[in-house]
Structure formats: structure tokens, C-alpha cells
Amino acid sequence: MNLITHIRFLVSLLLLWIGTADVYGHESHLSSCQPFHGSLNNLHFRNPPRRVLLAPLLSRDPHTTESPRWSEQPAHILKAFYRDRYHADVTVLRDVWNWNDFYQEVEQIMRQSPPFDRIIFISHGGFDGPVLKNVVFWQNLEIIGGKGKLLQYSEAQPGLKNVLSVTYDTENNPVFSDYMATRWPELATMKRGDVLRYLKGLEKQIQPLDRACYDRYCSPDRLATSPENLHEARREICQTICRKPLFDLKNSAEISPERFFHFTKTLSSLAAADGMIFFGACNPGSAAPEKMQEKDETELLINSTLAGGPHKSYVHLVSKATGRIAAGPIGESSAEDIVNRVIMLETRRPQRNLCIATPGAQ
């Protein structure tokens, strides 16, 4: 059985399944997504859809055995569904590993194609929307009055700017200062945690050890007072603390209105005025937790003042910012869940765990 036949077979099974008893059965799609109280028939998005954009977002997670291209399979199934049922023209994005990839690809599409009736993201995500690899989009090194400061801005979710700063005294260690002055652009290719580990390793190589400090805490006499199995760990700690630090590194996260509205403006250009944007991931339709926010916590976008916020969910925020209907699952979602929810939505089947927001809702 070739790939196309296999996909069509899966779609047929799904269509057969949605004709059976509704496991998500509820009188309203929107029971968890107030204040919209109408039925799906009252939602003014184009039906049937004629043009569909599928955006499977790719991810490499070293801590799982999951394929980094897992999102492509549900995209194939939905492509067959829209073509078979609606004879729609379906475009699928390719090799989107980070948001730079996304913008480059859709820029070409916007120049060549009219707007889409559906834009469907399939990805990992959370309360603040889809997640991709955290990639540096701006960095700069500034040296003023003997003080050096490296700033990096990176982004895993559109509008959430991750800020890394490395500050140092240029007179402290000439080798370190020379490295920062000539090779700082190389840090942009590293993960945040790897930047710290790399610079601490460099510090260990080039910064002299404070022998008095080391003997005070890790001399043979001092080590004798602790269990032998802890000696190596204690020596490593002494190797770290008994050196004058060469730098101070800080990480933080903050709202970037410019990056967020760049994303939503792109979505507005891609989606027809009567189109719909669907976020197939975990939690974009979930209500934002009501709690005090720290700089390094999530839900920053929903709880911000962007587009007249705070908003009840990410789909409410995007709908308000784009002027388009937006939808997304409430709670956790698998690849199969995403396919099922899209098909049930298109065939006007009720389901519990889907939030649909209109531009007038907040």
C-alpha cells in the first residue's frame, strides 16, 4: 500500500469514526470557552474551505524517542481529508525548525497566493502558543569604560523574548576579554544552558585557582572529614568557587510586542477575513492560570496587555490581534487528537475540549 493510499485509508477510518457515538459529546463546542454562546453554524468562517495552509512545526527533543518530524504525519492525514472532502487546494510548509524558517517560507507564499480559508498549526505548545527551537534573532557586544556586555535576544514562542546577558570587566583577564571581543558571535549557535557551561569551562582553564581558598575547603585534611564517596564532588565545587569569577550571566524572559505583532500581522495576511486559524498543540484554548507572574514563568502573553489583554486564552489573544476566528484544544493533545478535533470541527460535530474565539471575545 503506497503512502497516498495509506493516508486515504486512514482518513476513511476517521470519517467513519466521527459518524459513530461522540466521545467528546456536549451540547456546545464552547462550554469551556465563554463568552461566545452561539452554535458553530453562527460562526462566520468560510465553509466549505477552498484553500488550506498546514504548518507542521518540527522539533528536536533530546530527552524523548519521538521523531522530530512527528507533526508531518497528521499533516498528511489532514491534507488528504481537505482534498477528498472539499476538493481544497492544500499547501504544506516544509522543514520549519524555527520561526525564521516559518517567516521565510510564508513570505514566499504570500507573494504568490491569495489568502487561506484555514491556517492549521501542528506542533508542541503551551498556554502561550506553539513552540519551536529557541533561536537567537539579535545580539550585540558593547564595551564602555572597561565594562563589556553581551546581549542576546532569542525566541521560541512569537512575542516571548528570551534575554541572555553576559557582563564582565575587560581588565580582569585579557584572555577572556580577547575571546569575548573576537568570538562572541559563536555563542549565538549554543543553547542557553550550554553558554553558561562553556564559559565556566573557559573560566576554569584560564583563571588561576585561589590556592588558599582551595586548601581551606578541599585540602586532604578537610576532605578527611567527609565521606570518601563525596570527595570528587567536593573537589569540583572547590574548583568552581575558588576562582575569581570572570563574568556574570543572567537569563530572563519578557514580552516583545514588536515580535508578537509581527507574528499576528503575518497570520492576518495569510488568513482570509472569513478564515480561521487553528493551533493544534497542548493548551492554546485553555484558560490562563490566575497567578502572579515571574519573569521566567509561562503564560506571560495571555496575562499581558497585548491587544487589550489580559485574555482568557491564547486563541482569544490571537483572534483579537488578527481579527480572525481562532481555535485550539483545551488541555493536552496528541497528534491523533489534533486530527480528530479538526475533522470534528469541519463536520460540525460537538466536542468538549476545543475553544473557539471570535475577534469580539476576550
Side-chain angles (χ1 to χ4, degrees), residues 143 145-148 168-175 177 207 244 246:
I143 299 176
K147 300 292 182 181
Y168 61 98
D169 187 335
T170 59
E171 304 300 322
N172 244 352
N173 186 300
V175 177
S177 297
Q207 182 72 333
K244 183 180 179 181
L246 292 180

Side-chain angles (χ1 to χ4, degrees), residues 53-71:
L53 177 65
L54 299 174
L57 308 184
L58 310 182
S59 59
R60 292 188 180 93
D61 188 343
H63 305 296
T64 72
T65 57
E66 174 186 82
S67 168
R69 293 185 173 274
W70 69 269
S71 57

